[in-house]
mmCIF file of all heavy atoms in Angstrom:
data_model
loop_
_atom_site.group_PDB
_atom_site.id
_atom_site.type_symbol
_atom_site.label_atom_id
_atom_site.label_comp_id
_atom_site.label_asym_id
_atom_site.label_seq_id
_atom_site.Cartn_x
_atom_site.Cartn_y
_atom_site.Cartn_z
ATOM 1 N N GLN U 1 19.373 -37.219 71.810
ATOM 2 C CA GLN U 1 20.249 -36.077 71.604
ATOM 3 C C GLN U 1 21.620 -36.575 71.153
ATOM 4 O O GLN U 1 22.085 -37.622 71.591
ATOM 5 C CB GLN U 1 20.396 -35.250 72.881
ATOM 6 C CG GLN U 1 21.085 -35.980 74.025
ATOM 7 C CD GLN U 1 21.247 -35.112 75.263
ATOM 8 O OE1 GLN U 1 20.840 -33.948 75.261
ATOM 9 N NE2 GLN U 1 21.836 -35.673 76.314
ATOM 10 N N VAL U 2 22.240 -35.811 70.267
ATOM 11 C CA VAL U 2 23.611 -36.089 69.864
ATOM 12 C C VAL U 2 24.504 -35.210 70.713
ATOM 13 O O VAL U 2 24.516 -33.985 70.561
ATOM 14 C CB VAL U 2 23.849 -35.819 68.368
ATOM 15 C CG1 VAL U 2 25.308 -36.058 68.007
ATOM 16 C CG2 VAL U 2 22.949 -36.709 67.519
ATOM 17 N N ALA U 3 25.230 -35.842 71.636
ATOM 18 C CA ALA U 3 26.071 -35.090 72.565
ATOM 19 C C ALA U 3 27.501 -34.987 72.082
ATOM 20 O O ALA U 3 28.210 -34.027 72.395
ATOM 21 C CB ALA U 3 26.033 -35.740 73.945
ATOM 22 N N LYS U 4 27.960 -35.997 71.310
ATOM 23 C CA LYS U 4 29.354 -36.040 70.883
ATOM 24 C C LYS U 4 29.444 -36.568 69.463
ATOM 25 O O LYS U 4 28.655 -37.408 69.051
ATOM 26 C CB LYS U 4 30.174 -36.930 71.831
ATOM 27 C CG LYS U 4 30.161 -36.458 73.288
ATOM 28 C CD LYS U 4 30.966 -37.370 74.197
ATOM 29 C CE LYS U 4 30.915 -36.856 75.643
ATOM 30 N NZ LYS U 4 31.708 -37.705 76.560
ATOM 31 N N VAL U 5 30.441 -36.074 68.734
ATOM 32 C CA VAL U 5 30.669 -36.533 67.357
ATOM 33 C C VAL U 5 32.165 -36.759 67.146
ATOM 34 O O VAL U 5 33.002 -36.227 67.884
ATOM 35 C CB VAL U 5 30.154 -35.514 66.315
ATOM 36 C CG1 VAL U 5 28.662 -35.269 66.465
ATOM 37 C CG2 VAL U 5 30.935 -34.202 66.403
ATOM 38 N N ALA U 6 32.454 -37.554 66.115
ATOM 39 C CA ALA U 6 33.856 -37.805 65.763
ATOM 40 C C ALA U 6 34.010 -37.802 64.247
ATOM 41 O O ALA U 6 33.130 -38.273 63.520
ATOM 42 C CB ALA U 6 34.315 -39.151 66.325
ATOM 43 N N ASP U 7 35.133 -37.270 63.809
ATOM 44 C CA ASP U 7 35.477 -37.262 62.392
ATOM 45 C C ASP U 7 36.983 -36.983 62.297
ATOM 46 O O ASP U 7 37.493 -36.131 63.039
ATOM 47 C CB ASP U 7 34.693 -36.180 61.638
ATOM 48 C CG ASP U 7 34.751 -36.351 60.128
ATOM 49 O OD1 ASP U 7 35.843 -36.148 59.530
ATOM 50 O OD2 ASP U 7 33.708 -36.690 59.539
ATOM 51 N N PRO U 8 37.698 -37.694 61.406
ATOM 52 C CA PRO U 8 39.142 -37.457 61.294
ATOM 53 C C PRO U 8 39.503 -36.105 60.705
ATOM 54 O O PRO U 8 40.650 -35.670 60.802
ATOM 55 C CB PRO U 8 39.617 -38.603 60.408
ATOM 56 C CG PRO U 8 38.415 -39.009 59.620
ATOM 57 C CD PRO U 8 37.259 -38.807 60.543
ATOM 58 N N SER U 9 38.515 -35.427 60.095
ATOM 59 C CA SER U 9 38.785 -34.134 59.464
ATOM 60 C C SER U 9 38.572 -32.984 60.450
ATOM 61 O O SER U 9 37.451 -32.756 60.913
ATOM 62 C CB SER U 9 37.872 -33.942 58.252
ATOM 63 O OG SER U 9 37.949 -32.616 57.775
ATOM 64 N N HIS U 10 39.658 -32.281 60.746
ATOM 65 C CA HIS U 10 39.563 -31.125 61.639
ATOM 66 C C HIS U 10 38.667 -30.046 61.024
ATOM 67 O O HIS U 10 37.893 -29.384 61.734
ATOM 68 C CB HIS U 10 40.954 -30.554 61.911
ATOM 69 C CG HIS U 10 40.948 -29.320 62.764
ATOM 70 N ND1 HIS U 10 40.722 -29.358 64.132
ATOM 71 C CD2 HIS U 10 41.123 -28.001 62.429
ATOM 72 C CE1 HIS U 10 40.758 -28.124 64.606
ATOM 73 N NE2 HIS U 10 40.996 -27.288 63.606
ATOM 74 N N GLN U 11 38.753 -29.872 59.708
ATOM 75 C CA GLN U 11 37.946 -28.854 59.039
ATOM 76 C C GLN U 11 36.462 -29.166 59.156
ATOM 77 O O GLN U 11 35.635 -28.281 59.391
ATOM 78 C CB GLN U 11 38.342 -28.729 57.560
ATOM 79 C CG GLN U 11 39.717 -28.125 57.311
ATOM 80 C CD GLN U 11 40.853 -29.126 57.532
ATOM 81 O OE1 GLN U 11 40.615 -30.321 57.750
ATOM 82 N NE2 GLN U 11 42.083 -28.627 57.464
ATOM 83 N N ALA U 12 36.110 -30.463 58.981
ATOM 84 C CA ALA U 12 34.704 -30.860 59.093
ATOM 85 C C ALA U 12 34.184 -30.622 60.500
ATOM 86 O O ALA U 12 33.045 -30.165 60.697
ATOM 87 C CB ALA U 12 34.546 -32.332 58.703
ATOM 88 N N LEU U 13 35.009 -30.914 61.503
ATOM 89 C CA LEU U 13 34.598 -30.695 62.880
ATOM 90 C C LEU U 13 34.425 -29.213 63.178
ATOM 91 O O LEU U 13 33.517 -28.817 63.920
ATOM 92 C CB LEU U 13 35.629 -31.305 63.835
ATOM 93 C CG LEU U 13 35.716 -32.838 63.860
ATOM 94 C CD1 LEU U 13 36.853 -33.281 64.773
ATOM 95 C CD2 LEU U 13 34.404 -33.455 64.302
ATOM 96 N N GLN U 14 35.269 -28.383 62.590
ATOM 97 C CA GLN U 14 35.154 -26.945 62.798
ATOM 98 C C GLN U 14 33.859 -26.407 62.190
ATOM 99 O O GLN U 14 33.158 -25.587 62.801
ATOM 100 C CB GLN U 14 36.355 -26.218 62.189
ATOM 101 C CG GLN U 14 36.353 -24.713 62.453
ATOM 102 C CD GLN U 14 36.359 -24.394 63.935
ATOM 103 O OE1 GLN U 14 37.219 -24.853 64.680
ATOM 104 N NE2 GLN U 14 35.374 -23.617 64.390
ATOM 105 N N ARG U 15 33.517 -26.893 60.985
ATOM 106 C CA ARG U 15 32.262 -26.468 60.366
ATOM 107 C C ARG U 15 31.076 -26.896 61.221
ATOM 108 O O ARG U 15 30.105 -26.155 61.375
ATOM 109 C CB ARG U 15 32.140 -27.059 58.955
ATOM 110 C CG ARG U 15 33.071 -26.443 57.928
ATOM 111 C CD ARG U 15 32.671 -26.826 56.518
ATOM 112 N NE ARG U 15 32.740 -28.270 56.306
ATOM 113 C CZ ARG U 15 33.830 -28.908 55.871
ATOM 114 N NH1 ARG U 15 34.941 -28.221 55.626
ATOM 115 N NH2 ARG U 15 33.814 -30.215 55.691
ATOM 116 N N LEU U 16 31.164 -28.101 61.784
ATOM 117 C CA LEU U 16 30.077 -28.591 62.624
ATOM 118 C C LEU U 16 29.956 -27.765 63.896
ATOM 119 O O LEU U 16 28.845 -27.443 64.347
ATOM 120 C CB LEU U 16 30.301 -30.059 62.989
ATOM 121 C CG LEU U 16 29.138 -30.681 63.759
ATOM 122 C CD1 LEU U 16 28.068 -31.145 62.784
ATOM 123 C CD2 LEU U 16 29.586 -31.840 64.618
ATOM 124 N N ALA U 17 31.095 -27.407 64.497
ATOM 125 C CA ALA U 17 31.084 -26.615 65.727
ATOM 126 C C ALA U 17 30.420 -25.264 65.509
ATOM 127 O O ALA U 17 29.758 -24.731 66.413
ATOM 128 C CB ALA U 17 32.506 -26.443 66.243
ATOM 129 N N ASP U 18 30.575 -24.699 64.325
ATOM 130 C CA ASP U 18 29.932 -23.430 64.018
ATOM 131 C C ASP U 18 28.408 -23.576 64.006
ATOM 132 O O ASP U 18 27.681 -22.640 64.354
ATOM 133 C CB ASP U 18 30.411 -22.907 62.660
ATOM 134 C CG ASP U 18 31.884 -22.534 62.679
ATOM 135 O OD1 ASP U 18 32.420 -22.297 63.783
ATOM 136 O OD2 ASP U 18 32.504 -22.512 61.591
ATOM 137 N N ARG U 19 27.935 -24.758 63.596
ATOM 138 C CA ARG U 19 26.486 -24.998 63.491
ATOM 139 C C ARG U 19 25.901 -25.537 64.795
ATOM 140 O O ARG U 19 24.781 -25.184 65.172
ATOM 141 C CB ARG U 19 26.223 -25.984 62.345
ATOM 142 C CG ARG U 19 24.764 -26.298 62.106
ATOM 143 C CD ARG U 19 24.597 -27.149 60.862
ATOM 144 N NE ARG U 19 23.232 -27.627 60.700
ATOM 145 C CZ ARG U 19 22.831 -28.445 59.741
ATOM 146 N NH1 ARG U 19 23.702 -28.877 58.836
ATOM 147 N NH2 ARG U 19 21.577 -28.830 59.663
ATOM 148 N N PHE U 20 26.659 -26.405 65.471
ATOM 149 C CA PHE U 20 26.200 -27.010 66.725
ATOM 150 C C PHE U 20 27.267 -26.772 67.803
ATOM 151 O O PHE U 20 28.016 -27.683 68.160
ATOM 152 C CB PHE U 20 25.967 -28.515 66.549
ATOM 153 C CG PHE U 20 24.962 -28.880 65.493
ATOM 154 C CD1 PHE U 20 25.375 -29.312 64.234
ATOM 155 C CD2 PHE U 20 23.601 -28.801 65.751
ATOM 156 C CE1 PHE U 20 24.454 -29.667 63.265
ATOM 157 C CE2 PHE U 20 22.670 -29.148 64.787
ATOM 158 C CZ PHE U 20 23.096 -29.578 63.539
ATOM 159 N N PRO U 21 27.351 -25.584 68.341
ATOM 160 C CA PRO U 21 28.448 -25.250 69.261
ATOM 161 C C PRO U 21 28.439 -26.035 70.569
ATOM 162 O O PRO U 21 29.474 -26.141 71.224
ATOM 163 C CB PRO U 21 28.241 -23.750 69.516
ATOM 164 C CG PRO U 21 26.812 -23.489 69.172
ATOM 165 C CD PRO U 21 26.475 -24.433 68.073
ATOM 166 N N SER U 22 27.301 -26.616 70.948
ATOM 167 C CA SER U 22 27.235 -27.318 72.233
ATOM 168 C C SER U 22 27.689 -28.777 72.146
ATOM 169 O O SER U 22 27.837 -29.431 73.180
ATOM 170 C CB SER U 22 25.796 -27.280 72.773
ATOM 171 O OG SER U 22 24.925 -27.990 71.912
ATOM 172 N N ILE U 23 27.929 -29.281 70.937
ATOM 173 C CA ILE U 23 28.293 -30.686 70.762
ATOM 174 C C ILE U 23 29.801 -30.853 70.919
ATOM 175 O O ILE U 23 30.599 -30.131 70.315
ATOM 176 C CB ILE U 23 27.844 -31.207 69.389
ATOM 177 C CG1 ILE U 23 26.313 -31.214 69.317
ATOM 178 C CG2 ILE U 23 28.382 -32.609 69.130
ATOM 179 C CD1 ILE U 23 25.770 -31.704 67.990
ATOM 180 N N SER U 24 30.195 -31.829 71.714
ATOM 181 C CA SER U 24 31.612 -32.156 71.903
ATOM 182 C C SER U 24 32.143 -32.881 70.666
ATOM 183 O O SER U 24 31.463 -33.742 70.104
ATOM 184 C CB SER U 24 31.774 -33.047 73.133
ATOM 185 O OG SER U 24 33.108 -33.482 73.269
#
C-alpha cells in the first residue's frame, strides 16, 4: 500500500488528494 507521498508541487499534491484522499 502507498500510505504517503511527497512532491515539491503543491498543485500536484492537490490533484493527487482529489484522487486518493486517504493518502498522506
Side-chain angles (χ1 to χ4, degrees):
Q1 65 178 0
V2 177
K4 301 179 180 181
V5 300
D7 194 291
S9 170
H10 177 75
Q11 291 79 7
L13 291 176
Q14 184 59 55
R15 288 194 298 270
L16 185 83
D18 294 339
R19 181 174 172 184
F20 301 101
S22 64
I23 294 180
S24 174

